[in-house]
Amino acid sequence: MEMAENIPCNSVVGGNFKEVCPEKVIRFKPPLYKQRYQFVRDLVDRHEPKKVADLGCGDTKLLKLLKIYPCIQLLVGVDINEEKLHSNGHRLSPYLGEFVKPRDLDLTVTLYHGSAVERDSRLLGFDLITCIELIEHLDSDDLARFPDVVFGYLSPAMVVISTPNAEFNPLFPTVTLRDADHKFEWSRMEFQTWASHVANCYNYRVEFTGVGTPPAGSEHVGYCTQIGVFTKNGGKLSEPSFSQQCDQHVYKPVYTTSYPSLQQEKVLKFVLVGELLIQVDRLRLRYQRMLRDRDREKDQGPKPGDTDSCPAPHLLLGAVFTEAEKARIESTPKPFCEGEKFYIPLRRLLTYPRLHRLCADEDRVRSLIADSVCLSSDGSAVVVDLHNSWDYRPEDN
Ligand code: SAM
């Protein structure tokens, strides 16, 4: 935790500070690093980038937050500290739940050991590059190289740079630089002059903001962390770049993982068959109940007011459908029985929203499920036994 998150101060509580009495220590709430990450997450929400790289990714916390965004298909972290990457890579691997409920789109996450001031063609064509609390760690030679690599060579559609605002530092008890590894800390004027010059040189526009609101009475010092958001003029997202063709692989890959997604046939098949079998079983049980109710009515006559003893289709085992969905389902061929075999037309199954979302093409579904599910001879319906040994039957008692 950096000092700016735990500052003795006599100021009135304001903004996102919380006063902790009696020591008069104030803390950022949420912590400043979380506010920085949230800033990036809000940008991702707004711009939906497909390819995102975090330069100086450190212990990969930001990457871990970003990997849940469905729009992101390639997520890359780069850091000069190889040890940090080795010890944190495993945080980025898929959870069990991500296999059970896979993403819609593929996602690959890769960590590279390397410097943000080296050119590596695998980082070309990105939509967003973030440099969170990185530039103040660059010495003057590297800082001079940085714009040419990031803006000139990598040339992503958007770059976010955050760095400490030195004007905030007098609010700390005894601070010259906030971290022993910082080579400099800039005032707002210094950062904005540098950033505007970079934006001008490489045809970007830049907007300035920040996170970490100063306490009441100290508003003049500005945010604790200053942020520049650079947007390439006329830049489109995920444009394949000509220079991508000349491979220049300088970074060392340290870790890579691919997430299961519905774009992968074996994953789609697994999820589709599972979902289909659940729906088939719901319909089978509903059909059994309808037969039982019919037999009971034959024996006892209908109960008063009991016009349709079969449960409404929209209330079956917790599934709730809209009127339009119910109408679509009811417009398709109904399930039926031949002897002890229960037939559920594929056309009907595919109107159920969860299955429809997975794959709406009947022929494709047929080919995906053919070796896992029994189909009727013409392939139009799924066939199962109406009764199976797991069913509860009062006569079994
Ligand atoms: N961005 C992360 C965050 O906000 O949590 C980590 C910030 S940490 C203050 C700075 C990181 O930049 C460190 O992990 C450090 O190893 C890395 N770094 C320093 N110089 C670098 C360079 N030239 N290229 C890539 N990473 C660098």
Side-chain angles (χ1 to χ4, degrees):
M1 182 187 286
E2 62 191 25
M3 294 194 74
E5 292 177 39
N6 192 3
I7 313 160
C9 175
N10 292 323
S11 309
V12 179
V13 177
N16 43 23
F17 275 102
K18 180 187 171 201
E19 190 166 12
V20 182
C21 291
E23 302 90 349
K24 302 261 193 232
V25 171
I26 50 173
R27 293 173 201 277
F28 284 102
K29 198 184 171 201
L32 200 52
Y33 73 95
K34 286 196 181 167
Q35 293 190 38
R36 288 191 286 261
Y37 298 160
Q38 188 57 44
F39 182 86
V40 174
R41 295 169 79 180
D42 290 344
L43 268 186
V44 168
D45 265 335
R46 275 205 302 284
H47 296 280
E48 303 195 331
K50 284 190 199 143
K51 299 182 183 184
V52 179
D54 187 26
L55 306 184
C57 63
D59 55 13
T60 73
K61 278 204 189 85
L62 178 59
L63 297 173
K64 192 166 179 248
L65 294 172
L66 294 183
K67 80 183 180 80
I68 63 164
Y69 284 81
C71 57
I72 299 181
Q73 294 182 257
L74 180 59
L75 193 53
V76 166
V78 178
D79 204 283
I80 205 162
N81 183 332
E82 188 173 0
E83 175 49 33
K84 272 192 191 173
L85 301 179
H86 276 298
S87 50
N88 290 294
H90 66 276
R91 290 172 181 231
L92 299 166
S93 51
Y95 303 128
L96 185 61
E98 284 160 325
F99 288 93
V100 177
K101 197 169 183 311
R103 302 164 47 93
D104 284 353
L105 301 176
D106 288 338
L107 168 66
T108 302
V109 182
T110 302
L111 298 180
Y112 292 113
H113 173 225
S115 169
V117 299
E118 292 171 307
R119 296 165 179 236
D120 189 297
S121 58
R122 288 167 295 189
L123 268 79
L124 289 168
F126 274 57
D127 305 300
L128 171 64
I129 291 188
T130 54
C131 307
I132 306 301
E133 306 299 273
L134 166 71
I135 60 168
E136 64 277 10
H137 292 267
L138 304 180
D139 63 23
S140 55
D141 285 350
D142 281 351
L143 185 68
R145 270 186 225 124
F146 176 87
D148 192 41
V149 173
V150 174
F151 294 87
Y153 176 68
L154 300 180
S155 192
M158 188 175 273
V159 181
V160 177
I161 296 181
S162 86
T163 192
N165 166 20
E167 292 167 79
F168 198 100
N169 290 355
L171 296 184
F172 301 159
T174 49
V175 174
T176 42
L177 292 175
R178 296 184 196 176
D179 183 288
D181 189 53
H182 286 182
K183 309 301 185 293
F184 60 89
E185 282 169 8
W186 278 336
S187 66
R188 283 170 290 178
M189 178 66 91
E190 286 169 316
F191 177 53
Q192 291 179 19
T193 303
W194 175 85
S196 302
H197 177 70
V198 168
N200 242 343
C201 283
Y202 297 97
N203 198 24
Y204 282 73
R205 56 188 182 278
V206 58
E207 284 169 28
F208 299 102
T209 178
V211 293
T213 314
S218 299
E219 288 85 356
H220 60 282
V221 303
Y223 292 112
C224 189
T225 295
Q226 48 184 336
I227 298 177
V229 179
F230 300 75
T231 312
K232 188 152 99 182
N233 289 324
K236 272 212 227 126
L237 297 186
S238 293
E239 259 178 6
S241 152
F242 171 72
S243 44
Q244 217 156 353
Q245 293 161 15
C246 17
D247 285 347
Q248 193 173 344
H249 294 183
V250 176
Y251 293 160
K252 176 182 164 196
V254 169
Y255 173 86
T256 191
T257 186
S258 290
Y259 277 66
S261 94
L262 297 176
Q263 284 187 304
Q264 297 151 20
E265 187 160 301
K266 65 175 188 315
V267 177
L268 176 62
K269 184 174 165 169
F270 173 80
V271 176
L272 185 68
V273 168
E275 198 59 55
L276 187 122
L277 291 178
I278 290 173
Q279 193 55 52
V280 163
D281 216 41
R282 284 175 175 170
L283 292 168
R284 186 181 70 82
L285 293 174
R286 180 177 163 221
Y287 198 86
Q288 283 184 2
R289 183 163 160 190
M290 193 241 339
L291 293 179
R292 274 202 306 277
D293 287 351
R294 195 192 285 165
D295 288 347
R296 197 186 59 216
E297 275 171 29
K298 258 197 237 139
D299 294 343
Q300 305 169 357
K303 279 188 257 159
D306 190 3
T307 49
D308 181 7
S309 52
C310 181
H314 59 292
L315 287 177
L316 192 72
L317 296 184
V320 178
F321 300 121
T322 63
E323 288 303 321
E325 286 165 350
K326 273 190 272 173
R328 254 198 310 278
I329 293 168
E330 287 309 304
S331 72
T332 58
K334 289 189 170 27
F336 57 94
C337 240
E338 275 181 16
E340 276 298 295
K341 293 291 181 192
F342 182 52
Y343 291 73
I344 314 99
L346 269 184
R347 260 184 66 202
R348 189 168 189 97
L349 282 168
L350 293 192
T351 51
Y352 284 90
R354 290 167 72 127
L355 284 164
H356 188 83
R357 199 187 78 83
L358 289 172
C359 185
D361 178 342
E362 194 177 323
D363 287 336
R364 175 126 202 259
V365 169
R366 214 183 331 272
S367 78
L368 284 167
I369 64 173
D371 58 0
S372 317
V373 169
C374 180
L375 290 171
S376 59
S377 51
D378 65 354
S380 68
V382 174
V383 189
V384 291
D385 290 335
L386 181 59
H387 298 285
N388 67 46
S389 55
W390 292 100
D391 291 341
Y392 171 75
R393 288 200 265 185
E395 61 271 24
D396 290 342
N397 284 333

